[in-house]
Amino acid sequence: GGKYVAWCCATHIQDKHKCSMLFIRDDDLKLAFVTMLNKLIYSHKLVLRPYLKAIQENSSDENLHRIQHLEHLLEQNTEQRETLTKLMAQGYIDQVLFNRENNALLSQADGFRADIEALRTNMTSDTSKVMETEKLLHFTERGSMLAEFDDILFTRFVDHIDVYSRQKIGFVMKCGLTLGERIGE
């Protein structure tokens, strides 16, 4: 008896035979968020500090060295193509061999560029995770436990919620952590 807000899978709403997940009450989600954030406030030294240290150490140095190595290989590839072009112009190799070798070098160079771009994107993602973790750590270090749900805090720190069952969800934080919480008990 009574009205309340609840969340439900869009697939379940359209066809309950395709998704058996039932609704989850909004107040249960909000209570789970408050509980999860209070746990982080209490244990930020054990959870967030080591996580921040790990992502700071692992991210930049390895990727930067890998990018430098790939850029060196790309330079060598360019030199090889220039040498190949000179050999072709001087008549030392025929057109068929030139085309085959040049195409192989161009393909290799494209692979190097794609790898460099992927590593740079990963570095940007890691930098974002570090910044988001620092924001969350700064908030949790203040130490004041939450008594009620706060929309602003939710949107500041949570990217989305993964629902595993009606009793267990995971808050996927913007910093990259997924923090599980039990609900509805």
Side-chain angles (χ1 to χ4, degrees):
K3 294 183 180 183
Y4 53 86
V5 176
W7 295 90
C8 191
C9 173
T11 304
H12 179 82
I13 292 172
Q14 292 172 355
D15 184 359
K16 66 182 179 182
H17 300 292
K18 288 185 179 177
C19 177
S20 62
M21 179 67 71
L22 299 176
F23 68 90
I24 296 177
R25 290 178 61 131
D26 187 61
D27 54 349
D28 287 341
L29 289 174
K30 289 178 178 178
L31 179 62
F33 173 74
V34 170
T35 303
M36 180 271 307
L37 207 52
N38 283 338
K39 286 178 183 178
L40 273 181
I41 290 168
Y42 180 75
S43 63
H44 66 274
K45 290 179 184 175
L46 298 173
V47 177
L48 294 177
R49 282 202 183 279
Y51 176 69
L52 178 60
K53 186 177 178 185
I55 59 176
Q56 285 173 330
E57 289 175 357
N58 290 338
S59 63
S60 304
D61 294 340
E62 273 181 45
N63 289 342
L64 191 56
H65 290 300
R66 180 86 174 116
I67 288 172
Q68 289 171 341
H69 176 69
L70 287 168
E71 286 175 342
H72 177 69
L73 291 175
L74 196 55
E75 288 175 19
Q76 287 179 335
N77 180 285
T78 302
E79 290 171 5
Q80 289 173 339
R81 282 184 290 142
E82 289 172 357
T83 302
L84 193 63
T85 302
K86 287 178 187 175
L87 291 173
M88 165 71 175
Q90 293 172 352
Y92 291 116
I93 59 173
D94 67 351
Q95 185 71 35
V96 174
L97 179 61
F98 171 80
N99 287 339
R100 183 178 45 195
E101 293 299 318
N102 192 49
N103 288 338
L105 288 170
L106 287 171
S107 176
Q108 185 183 47
D110 288 342
F112 292 153
R113 284 188 198 95
D115 289 347
I116 290 169
E117 185 60 33
L119 287 167
R120 285 190 174 140
T121 301
N122 190 31
M123 285 177 67
T124 303
S125 172
D126 287 345
T127 303
S128 174
K129 285 180 182 179
V130 168
M131 289 174 32
E132 292 296 333
T133 304
E134 287 173 342
K135 281 193 250 180
L136 184 58
L137 184 59
H138 178 71
F139 171 78
T140 58
E141 286 175 333
R142 289 187 301 163
S144 55
M145 298 292 222
L146 300 179
E148 60 185 28
F149 179 78
D150 186 334
D151 285 329
I152 294 169
L153 291 177
F154 183 85
T155 54
R156 184 186 304 163
F157 299 125
V158 177
D159 183 61
H160 65 276
I161 299 173
D162 285 339
V163 178
Y164 308 118
S165 71
R166 288 189 77 193
Q167 292 78 33
K168 184 147 175 73
I169 60 171
F171 291 98
V172 181
M173 309 300 280
K174 290 180 180 177
C175 67
L177 288 173
T178 299
L179 303 167
E181 197 63 51
R182 292 198 137 325
I183 60 173
E185 294 177 351

